[in-house]
C-alpha cells in the first residue's frame, strides 16, 4: 500500500534501514550500552594520525589510515549518533520518508553501514528555505543512511585537508567560525595599516555551480572518491520528479560544507598573498574567506580591480563566477558588510594618531532583520500569557547578543531595548484595554532582575521571571584562532583546551559553574562540552530518589549522554525490581 505523500516513517523494531544482507546476519549493536568515551577517543586518534601523515606528505600512509577510518566501527557509531541525535536535521527525512528515532533502529543502522555493499547513493529531497534577500535557497536532504555514510567519509577526508587548508579560511571548519573571521579583519583593517581598499566579493550560486570535474580533481585519489562522485551525480527529487545534477553540491548533506572549502583552497596562492616565517602578512594583499563569501584587502583601488580580474579567472576554471550585484570595491571609509557586521573607518582626529578609528558594528541589515523577527514574534504572541512571551523571546535575545557582543554593539543594544519596551507596552495594552498604564506598570514592570538596578524590567512578578535586555550583555573581545591551527593537530591539544575553557564563559550561570568544575569535559563521553551539542544538567542522585539541586549532586552532560545515563539507570532499576 502506498503511503500518504506527507507521511514519515520511523524506523523501529523489526525494520532494517538498508538492504537485507545475503547471509541473514542480525544486528548486534546495543545502542544503550555503547562506550562513547572509547568510540570518540578512537575516532579522534585516527583523525590525528591522518593529520600528521598529511603534514609529512606521506600519501601512502594517509590512504591506509583513511581506509581504516572508513571501516572503523567506532566511526560508524559516532557518525550515526551525530546524524540521528545531534544534527539539527535529525527530524527531517529524505526521499524514503524514514527517520531513525529509537535505540534499536540506530543499532541496525550501524550494522547496515558496515555490511551494505555495493553502495548506491539515493537522490536528495529538494526543499526550500528563505534567504536574507527574500529569495529561496534550495536544500537537498539525503536519506538517513546516506547522511550517516557522509559523516563516515567526512571523518576520513576532513583531517587530511585540515593539514593543508589556508589560515584565511574560517567557514565550516572545526574550531573556527564567524567571530574568528571578524577578529582577523580587525587586525588587517586597523587605521595604521596600509590595506584600505576592499574587494567585497560574493560567488554567485557557489553550491549550485561548482564543477564536478574540478572538485573530484581537487579531492584526488581518496579511497571513497567514487562515493562522493555518486552523491554529486545522484540528482534531486522535487514534486515527485527526478532531476539530474550536472554541477554543484547539494546543500543539506553532512559532507556538503567541506566540499566547497576543498574547491576554494588555493585562493591565497592565486591572489599572491604572502606570509613571513612567523605568519605575519608580507605583501600588498590579504584575504579573509568564510565559505563562498570573501574579502580581499589591497593597498590601492587599481590593485583591488586587478585582484577582481585575477580571482574571476581562477573561479572560472571551477565553473564559478562572481556575483556582479553583490561584489563591490570600496574604501574602508565607505565601509562594507561581512557576516552580519559593518566594518568601517570613522574620523577621530582628537583620539587617534592616524585621525581615523575602526569600528565593527552590527550592520543595518542585521538590525532590521532582528526587529522584523521580534515584531513577528510579538504579533504571534497576542493572547498568550506573559510566561509564554518570555519563553519565546528570551532565547532569541540571548542568541543574537551572544553573536554581536564581540563588536561595538552597545549603542545597537540600547536601541533594541527601546524597541522592545515599545512592543511590551503594545502587548500590555492589547491584553488590558480597559486598565490604566499605571495599573499595567505595577503588574508587569519592576526591579525583577535583582542583580540589576533597573526599575523597568518586564516580566511576571509572581515568579520573578523577566524579559532579558540587550544592554545587559557585556562586550567581550574575541581572540582569533591562531594561524592555521586545527583541532586535528595533536601537538596543539593544550591550545585547544584553553580555547574551549574560554568558551565556557558564554554559558548561562547555572551551567558555567558545572562546566568549570568538570574542566570543560563531558564525564560520559570524555569529549569537550562545547562541541555544538545541547547540554543538560544531570542529577547523580535522582530527585525522585531524594536527590537535591545542590552543585555536588549535579553534572553537565551532552543531551545524548544524558539520555543514555537515564536509560541505563532505568534498566538497572527494572532488573533489580
Amino acid at each position: 500500500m502506498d503511503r500518504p505523500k506527507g507521511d514519515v516513517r520511523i524506523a523501529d523494531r523489526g525494520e532494517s534501514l538498508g538492504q537485507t544482507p545475503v547471509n541473514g546476519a542480525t544486528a548486534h549493536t546495543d545502542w544503550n550500552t555503547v562506550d562513547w568515551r572509547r568510540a570518540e577517543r578512537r575516532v579522534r586518534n585516527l583523525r590525528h594520525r591522518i593529520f600528521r601523515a598529511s603534514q609529512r606528505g606521506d600519501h601512502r600512509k594517509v590512504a591506509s589510515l583513511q581506509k581504516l577510518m572508513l571501516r572503523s566501527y567506532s566511526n560508524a557509531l559516532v557518525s550515526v549518533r551525530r546524524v540521528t541525535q545531534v544534527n539539527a536535521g535529525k527530524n527531517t527525512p529524505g526521499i524514503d520518508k524514514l527517520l531513525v528515532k529509537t535505540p534499536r533502529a540506530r543499532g541496525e543502522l550501524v550494522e547496515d553501514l558496515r555490511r551494505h555493499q555495493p553502495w548506491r547513493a539515493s537522490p536528495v529531497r529538494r526543499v526550500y528555505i528563505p534567504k536574507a534577500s527574500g529569495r529561496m535557497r534550495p536544500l537537498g536532504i539525503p536519506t538517513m543512511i546516506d547522511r550517516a555514510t557522509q559523516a563516515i567519509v567526512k571523518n576520513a577526508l576532513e583531517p587530511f585537508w585540515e593539514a593543508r587548508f589556508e589560515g584565511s579560511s574560517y567557514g565550516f571548519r572545526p574550531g573556527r567560525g564567524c567571530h574568528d573571521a571578524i577578529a582577523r579583519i580587525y587586525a588587517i583593517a586597523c587605521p595604521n595599516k596600509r590595506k584600505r581598499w576592499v574587494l567585497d566579493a560574493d560567488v554567485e550560486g557557489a553550491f549550485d555551480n561548482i564543477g564536478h570535474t574540478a572538485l573530484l580533481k581537487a579531492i584526488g585519489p581518496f579511497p571513497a572518491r567514487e562515493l562522493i562522485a555518486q552523491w554529486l551525480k545522484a540528482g534531486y527529487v522535487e514534486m515527485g520528479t527526478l532531476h539530474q545534477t550536472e554541477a554543484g553540491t547539494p546543500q543539506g548533506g553532512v559532507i556538503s560544507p567541506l566540499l566547497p572549502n576543498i574547491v576554494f583552497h588555493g585562493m591565497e596562492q592565486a591572489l599572491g598573498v604572502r606570509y613571513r616565517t612567523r605568519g605575519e602578512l608580507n605583501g600588498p594583499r590579504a584575504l579573509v574567506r568564510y565559505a563562498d563569501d570573501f574579502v580581499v584587502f589591497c593597498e590601492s583601488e587599481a590593485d583591488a580591480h586587478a585582484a577582481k580580474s585575477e580571482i574571476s579567472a581562477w573561479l572560472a576554471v571551477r565553473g564559478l563566477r562572481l556575483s556582479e550585484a553583490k561584489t563591490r570595491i570600496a574604501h574602508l571609509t565607505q565601509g562594507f558588510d561581512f557576516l552580519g557586521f559593518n566594518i568601517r573607518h570613522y574620523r577621530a582626529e582628537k583620539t587617534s594618531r592616524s585621525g581615523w578609528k575602526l569600528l565593527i558594528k552590527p550592520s543595518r541589515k542585521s538590525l532590521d532583520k532582528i526587529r522584523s523577527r521580534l515584531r513577528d514574534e510579538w504579533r504571534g504572541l497576542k493572547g498568550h500569557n506573559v510566561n509564554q512571551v518570555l519563553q519565546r523571546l528570551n532565547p532569541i535575545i540571548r542568541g543574537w547578543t551572544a553573536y554581536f557582543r564581540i563588536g561595538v554593539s552597545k549603542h545597537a543594544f540600547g536601541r533594541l531595548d527601546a524597541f522592545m519596551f515599545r512592543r511590551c507596552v503594545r502587548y500590555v495594552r492589547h491584553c488590558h484595554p480597559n486598565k490604566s498604564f499605571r495599573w499595567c506598570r505595577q503588574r508587569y514592570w519592576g526591579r525583577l532582575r535583582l542583580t540589576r538596578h533597573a526599575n523597568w524590567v518586564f516580566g511576571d512578578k509572581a515568579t520573578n521571571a523577566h524579559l532579558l535586555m540587550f544592554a545587559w550583555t557585556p562586550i567581550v573581545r574575541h581572540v582569533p584562532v591562531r594561524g592555521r591551527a586545527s583541532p586535528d593537530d595533536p601537538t596543539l591539544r593544550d591550545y585547544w583546551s584553553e580555547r574551549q575553557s574560554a568558551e565556557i564563559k558564554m554559558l548561562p550561570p547555572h551551567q558555567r559553574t558545572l562546566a568549570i568544575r568538570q574542566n570543560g569535559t563531558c564525564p560520559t563521553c570524555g569529549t569537550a562540552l562545547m562541541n555544538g551539542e545541547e547540554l543538560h544538567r544531570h542529577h547523580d542522585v535522582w530527585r525522585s530518589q531524594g536527590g537535591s539541586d545542590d552543585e555536588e549532586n549535579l553534572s553537565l552532560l551532552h543531551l545524548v549522554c544524558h539520555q543514555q545515563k537515564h536509560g541505563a539507570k532505568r534498566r538497572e532499576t527494572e532488573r533489580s525490581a
Side-chain angles (χ1 to χ4, degrees):
M1 181 181 294
D2 293 336
R3 295 187 304 278
K5 189 172 182 180
D7 187 33
V8 174
R9 292 189 300 154
I10 297 178
D12 203 342
R13 188 164 302 180
E15 180 176 10
S16 180
L17 293 166
Q19 295 177 355
T20 303
V22 175
N23 59 9
T26 57
H28 63 268
T29 297
D30 186 354
W31 191 259
N32 293 317
T33 60
V34 171
D35 186 347
W36 290 113
R37 182 181 290 270
R38 183 173 63 177
E40 294 279 1
R41 183 178 67 248
R42 287 180 173 176
V43 173
R44 183 171 60 250
N45 288 345
L46 267 178
R47 287 181 65 109
H48 287 173
R49 293 173 67 188
I50 295 171
F51 182 94
R52 288 199 303 267
S54 178
Q55 272 188 328
R56 294 193 303 266
D58 189 347
H59 297 289
R60 181 175 295 181
K61 185 71 171 178
V62 167
S64 176
L65 291 170
Q66 286 176 331
K67 291 177 183 177
L68 186 60
M69 178 70 90
L70 292 170
R71 295 192 301 264
S72 169
Y73 178 60
S74 295
N75 189 17
L77 288 171
V78 170
S79 299
V80 170
R81 167 176 168 165
R82 180 152 298 277
V83 301
T84 64
Q85 293 184 281
V86 177
N87 286 357
K90 61 181 179 292
N91 295 319
T92 306
I95 61 168
D96 58 358
K97 301 178 181 179
L98 185 68
L99 293 178
V100 179
K101 304 291 284 185
T102 66
R104 172 66 178 267
R106 294 184 188 109
E108 289 183 351
L109 178 54
V110 172
E111 296 303 318
D112 287 339
L113 290 170
R114 302 185 70 206
R115 66 186 176 223
H116 190 189
Q117 295 293 337
W119 186 262
R120 185 172 181 82
S122 301
V124 297
R125 182 169 68 91
R126 174 61 62 89
V127 298
Y128 293 90
I129 60 172
K131 298 174 64 174
S133 61
R135 299 169 63 186
M136 302 301 288
R137 183 191 303 276
L139 293 184
I141 309 300
T143 61
M144 196 63 74
I145 195 166
D146 271 337
R147 270 178 264 180
T149 310
Q150 288 184 18
I152 290 173
V153 172
K154 183 181 179 182
N155 273 333
L157 182 62
E158 189 173 51
F160 169 79
W161 282 98
E162 277 296 307
R164 296 170 173 267
F165 279 148
E166 300 155 331
S168 60
S169 168
Y170 295 97
F172 307 117
R173 291 183 57 191
R176 292 167 178 258
C178 300
H179 289 174
D180 296 298
I182 295 299
R184 179 61 176 161
I185 287 176
Y186 180 84
I188 296 172
C190 285
N192 60 343
K193 303 295 176 63
R194 299 176 60 182
K195 299 177 181 64
R196 300 179 182 178
W197 284 92
V198 180
L199 168 62
D200 179 14
D202 182 87
V203 181
E204 185 175 352
F207 283 83
D208 300 326
N209 298 312
I210 289 176
H212 291 170
T213 303
L215 173 56
L216 293 173
K217 181 180 178 180
I219 290 174
F222 175 57
R225 185 174 182 271
E226 293 306 316
L227 261 180
I228 296 176
Q230 280 197 44
W231 288 321
L232 295 175
K233 299 290 187 181
Y236 65 91
V237 174
E238 184 175 13
M239 303 295 291
T241 304
L242 175 64
H243 301 266
Q244 300 298 322
T245 49
E246 301 301 328
T249 172
Q251 300 181 61
V254 177
I255 202 172
S256 298
L258 174 62
L259 300 181
N261 276 334
I262 295 175
V263 171
F264 287 121
H265 175 66
M267 189 178 288
E268 278 192 341
Q269 184 179 357
L271 288 167
V273 178
R274 302 192 302 272
Y275 294 92
R276 296 191 180 94
T277 306
R278 294 187 177 182
E280 301 94 343
L281 281 167
N282 182 26
R285 293 177 181 173
L287 171 71
V288 176
R289 180 173 67 82
Y290 191 92
D292 58 329
D293 293 333
F294 61 92
V295 287
V296 183
F297 292 87
C298 304
E299 295 183 359
S300 67
E301 184 178 9
D303 191 39
H305 283 284
K308 181 180 178 180
S309 299
E310 292 171 17
I311 204 64
S312 296
W314 186 81
L315 289 171
V317 178
R318 290 151 179 80
L320 302 170
R321 64 179 182 180
L322 294 178
S323 170
E324 292 298 330
K326 297 182 180 179
T327 300
R328 59 188 286 262
I329 293 173
H331 195 272
L332 281 173
T333 55
Q334 299 172 300
F336 66 97
D337 292 346
F338 191 67
L339 300 179
F341 289 89
N342 178 261
I343 298 96
R344 183 181 172 188
H345 282 178
Y346 293 83
R347 287 194 175 277
E349 292 88 348
K350 297 182 180 180
T351 57
S352 174
R353 183 176 299 177
S354 65
W356 298 88
K357 62 181 178 181
L358 172 65
L359 297 182
I360 300 179
K361 305 177 180 180
S363 67
R364 182 173 298 178
K365 288 183 180 178
S366 298
L367 290 169
D368 290 342
K369 186 176 179 180
I370 188 62
R371 286 195 194 96
S372 177
R373 181 182 179 185
L374 290 170
R375 190 180 295 113
D376 291 342
E377 292 288 349
W378 277 111
R379 288 171 178 168
L381 287 166
K382 285 183 177 180
H384 293 71
N385 63 43
V386 67
N387 285 307
Q388 291 173 309
V389 171
L390 304 180
Q391 291 174 8
R392 184 83 64 85
L393 296 179
N394 277 342
I396 299 173
I397 297 171
R398 192 180 289 114
W400 199 88
T401 55
Y403 182 77
F404 287 100
R405 68 189 300 177
I406 68 163
V408 183
S409 305
K410 272 300 181 184
H411 179 66
F413 288 171
R415 290 172 60 188
L416 288 172
D417 282 331
F419 168 80
M420 290 296 281
F421 178 79
R422 294 192 294 271
R423 300 306 308 189
C424 289
V425 171
R426 294 183 67 167
Y427 166 82
V428 169
R429 284 179 170 165
H430 179 270
C431 292
H432 308 283
N434 298 323
K435 297 291 185 181
S436 67
F437 185 72
R438 181 177 181 181
W439 180 91
C440 293
R441 178 181 184 263
Q442 290 176 346
R443 175 164 179 172
Y444 289 100
W445 280 277
R447 188 173 289 185
L448 302 181
R449 181 85 168 215
L450 300 179
T451 57
R452 296 275 177 176
H453 298 291
N455 296 320
W456 285 86
V457 179
F458 178 81
D460 183 3
K461 289 191 173 182
T463 61
N464 238 31
H466 54 274
L467 187 68
L468 297 176
M469 297 184 72
F470 287 83
W472 289 347
T473 302
I475 302 300
V476 179
R477 302 304 177 201
H478 180 75
V479 179
V481 65
R482 188 173 69 198
R484 295 174 56 195
S486 169
D488 288 319
D489 188 347
T491 63
L492 298 178
R493 188 170 295 152
D494 294 339
Y495 171 75
W496 288 105
S497 296
E498 291 176 5
R499 287 189 68 83
Q500 289 165 357
S501 299
E503 291 179 13
I504 291 174
K505 298 177 183 178
M506 308 292 286
L507 290 173
H510 64 279
Q511 293 183 346
R512 190 185 309 143
T513 305
L514 297 175
I516 293 173
R517 192 181 68 185
Q518 296 170 197
N519 295 321
T521 303
C522 175
T524 300
C525 65
T527 61
L529 286 169
M530 306 298 291
N531 66 350
E533 295 188 39
E534 186 178 344
L535 300 178
H536 277 203
R537 291 193 304 170
H538 170 67
H539 290 76
D540 298 328
V541 179
W542 290 7
R543 282 178 292 185
S544 61
Q545 300 174 354
S548 66
D549 289 331
D550 296 336
E551 289 184 2
E552 291 74 14
N553 189 44
L554 296 174
S555 54
L556 195 61
L557 311 177
H558 296 128
L559 169 61
V560 178
C561 298
H562 193 204
Q563 291 172 340
Q564 186 186 41
K565 199 98 170 175
H566 274 265
K569 190 72 172 289
R570 193 176 295 111
R571 289 190 299 273
E572 181 182 343
T573 303
E574 290 173 354
R575 283 196 299 267
S576 61

